[in-house]
Amino acid sequence: ENPSASSEDDLLIVADSYSNCMERFLAVHYRTTYVLDPRHMEESIDAFLTDHPDVKDVLVLMTSGDLAAEVTRKAFVVDEVS
């Protein structure tokens, strides 16, 4: 949470542990910043965004190996709507 941010927008960073050093630089510009690591998630990114409609920007910041991993691809699968 950043109550002094000049923006009312929220940011979602989809990342592995290598993003830790960048998160504070990005978070300063957003009211709320969420960081999700697909390797440690139960829900899809689509489901997370549905539950957090104030997220305006999504940044994917991962090493190529983690980005190409099966667990990451599964996290980006869009949930079907009945």
Side-chain angles (χ1 to χ4, degrees), residues 25-60:
F25 294 110
L26 299 164
V28 71
H29 301 286
Y30 292 88
R31 179 187 59 185
T32 303
T33 301
Y34 302 97
V35 180
L36 299 179
D37 186 335
R39 301 169 302 164
H40 306 290
M41 291 176 51
E42 295 286 327
E43 68 181 335
S44 70
I45 293 167
D46 181 54
F48 181 88
L49 289 171
T50 299
D51 292 340
H52 297 85
D54 291 335
V55 171
K56 300 295 182 206
D57 295 319
V58 177
L59 172 67
V60 178

Side-chain angles (χ1 to χ4, degrees), residues 37-41 66-76:
D37 186 335
R39 301 169 302 164
H40 306 290
M41 291 176 51
D66 285 337
L67 182 60
E70 179 69 22
V71 69
T72 303
R73 289 196 308 258
K74 285 182 181 179
F76 279 98

